[in-house]
Amino acid sequence: MTARFSGGMPSLLRFITCGSVDDGKSTLLGRLLYDTGALPDDQLEALTRDSRHLHDDAPTALDFSLLTDGLDAERQQGITIDVAYRYFQTARRSFIVADCPGHEQYTRNMATGVSHAEAAVVLVDARKGLLPQTRRHTYLCALLGIRQIVLVVNKMDLVGHDEGVFMGIAQAYRELAQSLGFGDIQALPVVAPTGENVSHRSERMGWFRGPTLLDWLETAPSSSGQAGEFRMPVQWVNRIDSSTRGYAGTLCGGSVAAGDDVVVQPAMKRARVQRIVTADGDLARAWAGQAVTLVLDRELDISRGDVLADAAKPAPVSDQFAAHIVWMGDEALLPNRTYWLKVGTRTVNARVTAIKHKVDVDTGAQLAARRLELNDVGYGNIDLDHPIAFETYRDNRDLGGFILIDRQTHATVGCGMLDFALRRAGNLHWQHLDLDKDARSVTKGQRSRCLWFTGLSGAGKSTVANLVERRLHALGYHTYVLDGDNLRHGLNKDLGFTDEARVENVRRVAEVAHLMVDAGLIVLVCVISPFASERQFARELFDEDEFVEVFVDTPLDECERRDPKGLYRKARAGDIRNFTGIDSPYESPGHPEIHLLAGGRRAEQLAEDVVAYLIEGQGIG
C-alpha cells in the first residue's frame, strides 16, 4: 500500500534492491544511507569501528554492507539472508527500501520484499553480467507487479570503467526485461563503495550522460493509490461513542466522500456514508492509503473481512480463481489440502484444486507439476469455501494479493496473486430443497452422524466398524459403512498412494459422508486418513456434534504382527512405497471423541464402547 503525503511533505517511494550474491546490494544501500545523511553519529562510529576491525588493511575505508546485514550469520557469511528494511529521506522524497537476499533458497524472502514495493533496483556485477538470479528476480518483479526497474551495473572500477562492458550488459538486460513485459529500462554504471553515479557523477565514467541512482529514485513515479474505484476492507467495528458505530479500515483504492452510496460486499447491502472520522477530526473526503472510520446512515451486519465499495461500481465477487502462487513452506503444497487464505482483512478456507504448471524462473519454461516445493512458483486454480470481494492483482494489490496459512502450524506457507475468477463460479448456484437433514432423520427415528474411524493399516478399524454397524442395525438404526479399501475399487479407483492422492482420497470420502449424513444416515467411515489436516477438513464439513472421530489406537508392531493383507511385509521388502507407518507418516489425533486402546482388547469390546458413546452419550435415537 502506498501512503500519501500532503501539506508540502515529500512523497514516499518504496523500492527494493535485488540481484545475485556479491553483486553489492548491501554496499549500495549503505552508501545511499551515508550519502543522504541517514546515519546517526553513533551508527557511523560503529560502522567505522567495525570496518577497521574487519579490514585492517584499509583502516579508513567504510564497509557499507555492515549497515544492512544485521544478522550474525549475514556478517559471518557476507550475504543477505532476511529482508532488511531501511528508511531515509532527501529534500525531494522519502524512501522505504527493502534489501532482498540474493541466494536462491531465500526466494520467499525476496518475494516478501517485492510485494510491498513500487520500484526495483536490480544489481549486476560488471565482471559477471546477467546471472540466473538476475533473471529470477526480474521474473519475480514482473510477477508481483513491479513496473519500474533501474539496472545498476556495479563494480565498474573492476572492469576499468569500460563503456563497452556496460553497454553490453545493459542491452542484454533490456532484452530480458522486454520479454517479461517491461518497457524502457534505465541502466546505470556504478561503483557502490565510492558512490560514483550513486549520489554524484563519476569523473572516471564521463561517457555516461544519464541520471545518478539518487536522481532516478527521486523522480521515479510513485503509485498514487488513487486510481480505480473506492474499496475499503473492514478491519474492525469501531464504537465512536455509545450510540455510534463505525467501520474502520484503510482505503486500498479510489476515494470516498460523505454522502456517497456504498455497498457492503460480498453480501451487497447498500448504505450511504454519513461521516468520515479520523483522529484529527472528520474529513469531507478520504483517499486511498488513508486509515479512517466510516459511519453509515443505517445499521447493517458488517464485520471484519467485509469490503465497503462504490455502490455504482462494486468489486467482483467469486469463490474460484486462477492464480499465481509462490510457495514458501518447508512442506510441499499438496493439491486439495485445505489452507487458510487471507486476502485483505478476510480469511477463508481454500484448496488448490489443480496445479496447471510450475515455472522455471531462470528460463521462463512451464513445467508439469503435481505439487509445489519450497521456492517454487506455480499457476493453478483455487477454490474457496466462501465467496469474497476481490480485484485482480494487476488492478489492486490489496484485494488481489493473498497469503496461504497452514492450519495446523499457523505458519505463512505461500503467497499468491489472483489472475481472474473462473467463469464456472458464476454459473453455479445452490438449488433450494424443501426437505432438509432434520426432516430426513426424523422419519428414520434417529439423529444422523458421521463416525470417522482412523488408525494404522491393520489397526482393526473396519472390523470394529462392521461390529458397530451390526449392533446399530439390530437396534433399528439406519447406517452405512464407507470403507477405504472398498471405495478404492470404484469412487477412488484412479488414486494412488502418494501424499497428494491420499489428500484427495480423504476429501472425496468426506464429501460422500457429508451427503449421507444429510440424507439422515449414521455413516461409518473407515480410512487410515493419516494427516491431521485432512481429518480437520472432514470435521469442518459437519455441524457441531455430527462428527465423531474414533481413533483405533493399535501399536505399529501389533499391526505388523497381524498384517492381515500382507502389506507390511511387502512394505518392509520395498515392494510397496509410501506405506503409512513405514515410509509415510501417521499423525495421531490429538483429541478424538473416542480413543480406543486396541492392543489388548477384543474387537467386540471396542465396538460396545462406540455404541455406548452414541446411544448414552449422544442420544442418537
Side-chain angles (χ1 to χ4, degrees):
M1 172 110 18
T2 302
R4 296 177 66 252
F5 290 79
S6 58
M9 292 292 290
S11 63
L12 173 67
L13 181 72
R14 296 174 185 267
F15 70 97
I16 63 167
T17 57
C18 57
S20 193
V21 176
D22 293 333
D23 282 350
K25 298 183 297 300
S26 298
T27 299
L28 177 71
L29 178 53
R31 184 76 208 192
L32 274 173
L33 297 176
Y34 179 78
D35 287 350
T36 55
L39 300 179
D41 291 342
D42 58 341
Q43 196 170 2
L44 187 56
E45 290 175 6
L47 174 64
T48 304
R49 182 178 61 251
D50 293 345
S51 298
R52 187 182 304 122
H53 175 70
L54 291 175
H55 307 284
D56 52 7
D57 55 333
T60 61
L62 297 178
D63 185 346
F64 292 109
S65 68
L66 299 177
L67 290 170
T68 55
D69 288 343
L71 301 176
D72 286 343
E74 292 177 324
R75 293 192 173 206
Q76 291 168 8
Q77 299 177 48
I79 63 172
T80 300
I81 295 175
D82 204 352
V83 178
Y85 289 94
R86 291 294 183 272
Y87 312 88
F88 64 96
Q89 184 172 333
T90 66
R92 302 172 68 182
R93 170 170 271 181
S94 296
F95 301 93
I96 298 177
V97 53
D99 184 20
C100 296
H103 274 295
E104 179 179 349
Q105 62 263 41
Y106 302 125
T107 296
R108 56 182 173 182
N109 307 48
M110 194 270 181
T112 302
V114 175
S115 64
H116 299 287
E118 305 163 73
V121 177
V122 179
L123 269 77
V124 171
D125 187 324
R127 299 167 301 174
K128 303 174 182 175
L130 306 190
L131 296 174
Q133 280 297 77
T134 314
R135 299 182 178 89
R136 174 180 289 265
H137 287 181
T138 305
Y139 175 84
L140 287 173
C141 286
L143 179 65
L144 290 161
I146 295 284
R147 290 293 174 263
Q148 303 178 81
I149 285 183
V150 58
L151 174 70
V152 170
V153 182
N154 192 22
K155 304 185 182 181
M156 285 297 296
D157 54 326
L158 301 182
V159 295
H161 304 91
D162 189 286
E163 182 180 6
V165 172
F166 168 74
M167 295 300 290
I169 294 173
Q171 180 58 32
Y173 187 79
R174 287 191 175 105
E175 292 175 1
L176 167 67
Q178 287 174 4
S179 70
L180 295 172
F182 290 101
D184 188 35
I185 298 292
Q186 177 68 59
L188 306 175
V190 159
V191 182
T194 59
E196 293 172 87
N197 288 337
V198 175
S199 56
H200 64 272
R201 292 195 169 278
S202 169
E203 296 180 356
R204 295 183 291 182
M205 291 182 281
W207 44 264
F208 178 68
R209 304 296 183 187
T212 65
L213 176 59
L214 196 56
D215 287 339
W216 187 89
L217 291 171
E218 287 182 324
T219 56
S222 174
S223 303
S224 68
Q226 300 176 31
E229 313 304 334
F230 163 62
R231 306 285 186 258
M232 189 187 88
V234 175
Q235 195 162 4
W236 77 87
V237 179
N238 186 11
R239 284 285 180 187
I240 298 173
D241 54 46
S242 59
S243 61
T244 307
R245 185 168 59 175
Y247 306 98
T250 301
L251 275 68
C252 66
S255 67
V256 65
D260 284 355
D261 290 330
V262 298
V263 289
V264 183
Q265 294 187 281
M268 299 302 290
K269 302 167 190 169
R270 194 179 181 102
R272 179 163 295 172
V273 176
Q274 202 169 56
R275 294 174 56 196
I276 303 175
V277 181
T278 73
D280 298 323
D282 285 12
L283 301 176
R285 179 175 290 277
W287 299 86
Q290 287 185 296
V292 299
T293 295
L294 299 184
V295 178
L296 305 182
D297 67 342
R298 66 200 68 180
E299 292 287 335
L300 294 175
D301 181 14
I302 303 174
S303 59
R304 176 182 172 85
D306 288 333
V307 174
L308 295 176
D310 186 336
K313 297 179 179 178
V317 173
S318 183
D319 59 3
Q320 297 185 56
F321 303 93
H324 296 275
I325 300 168
V326 180
W327 192 244
M328 305 174 176
D330 293 326
E331 295 186 3
L333 180 154
L334 301 179
N336 291 310
R337 170 161 287 180
T338 306
Y339 302 92
W340 284 322
L341 181 146
K342 186 172 186 296
V343 54
T345 58
R346 188 171 181 81
T347 302
V348 295
N349 288 326
R351 294 182 301 118
V352 176
T353 55
I355 298 175
K356 296 182 177 179
H357 62 258
K358 68 176 183 180
V359 179
D360 182 337
V361 296
D362 296 333
T363 65
Q366 298 180 359
L367 308 175
R370 294 183 176 179
R371 56 167 66 185
L372 294 182
E373 305 284 356
L374 174 64
N375 291 326
D376 277 349
V377 177
Y379 189 78
N381 293 342
I382 293 183
D383 184 18
L384 311 183
D385 67 346
H386 288 86
I388 60 170
F390 75 101
E391 299 277 7
T392 62
Y393 186 79
R394 62 180 173 274
D395 293 333
N396 188 312
R397 284 189 177 188
D398 295 271
L399 289 182
F402 62 86
I403 60 172
L404 293 171
I405 303 168
D406 186 295
R407 302 197 317 163
Q408 302 299 316
T409 65
H410 294 191
T412 299
V413 291
C415 67
M417 292 65 67
L418 299 178
D419 196 1
F420 59 85
L422 299 180
R423 182 176 298 177
R424 63 187 182 221
N427 298 330
L428 297 175
H429 304 279
W430 283 102
Q431 177 65 45
H432 171 75
L433 301 176
D434 291 334
L435 291 181
D436 60 13
K437 177 173 52 186
D438 292 338
R440 299 183 191 104
S441 296
V442 167
T443 60
K444 295 178 175 62
Q446 64 187 35
R447 296 172 61 192
S448 56
R449 287 287 183 278
C450 174
L451 301 179
W452 190 277
F453 290 79
T454 177
L456 293 168
S457 177
K461 301 181 296 298
S462 297
T463 301
V464 175
N466 187 48
L467 292 169
V468 171
E469 186 183 33
R470 286 174 53 185
R471 177 71 171 138
L472 292 176
H473 180 74
L475 293 172
Y477 294 105
H478 299 257
T479 61
Y480 196 85
V481 173
L482 291 173
D483 187 87
D485 284 351
N486 293 345
L487 291 171
R488 282 187 176 272
H489 289 288
L491 177 68
N492 295 336
K493 190 175 184 177
D494 59 321
L495 300 177
F497 292 90
T498 62
D499 288 350
E500 298 94 316
R502 287 167 180 266
V503 170
E504 175 61 6
N505 179 55
V506 171
R507 188 192 70 82
R508 293 185 191 179
V509 176
E511 294 285 2
V512 174
H514 179 240
L515 292 174
M516 289 190 163
V517 167
D518 196 55
L521 295 172
I522 298 171
V523 184
L524 298 88
V525 176
C526 303
V527 287
I528 295 173
S529 47
F531 303 128
S533 177
E534 278 57 62
R535 295 196 298 268
Q536 181 64 26
F537 164 78
R539 180 184 291 275
E540 291 175 359
L541 289 178
F542 298 90
D543 293 339
E544 190 175 359
D545 296 334
E546 276 185 354
F547 185 87
V548 179
E549 190 173 42
V550 184
F551 178 27
V552 185
D553 189 0
T554 305
L556 176 61
D557 55 355
E558 174 63 17
C559 294
E560 283 201 72
R561 187 191 65 76
R562 295 176 182 176
D563 203 10
K565 303 168 188 174
L567 299 177
Y568 283 99
R569 187 175 67 255
K570 292 181 179 178
R572 291 293 186 189
D575 296 332
I576 299 178
R577 298 181 61 188
N578 303 316
F579 194 81
T580 302
I582 305 300
D583 58 349
S584 185
Y586 177 78
E587 299 169 0
S588 300
H591 303 285
E593 278 76 10
I594 303 176
H595 189 170
L596 301 177
L597 295 171
R601 302 180 66 203
R602 293 186 297 109
E604 289 78 5
Q605 294 173 305
L606 301 176
E608 283 302 319
D609 287 350
V610 177
V611 173
Y613 176 90
L614 288 176
I615 295 178
E616 298 171 10
Q618 292 219 318
I620 59 172

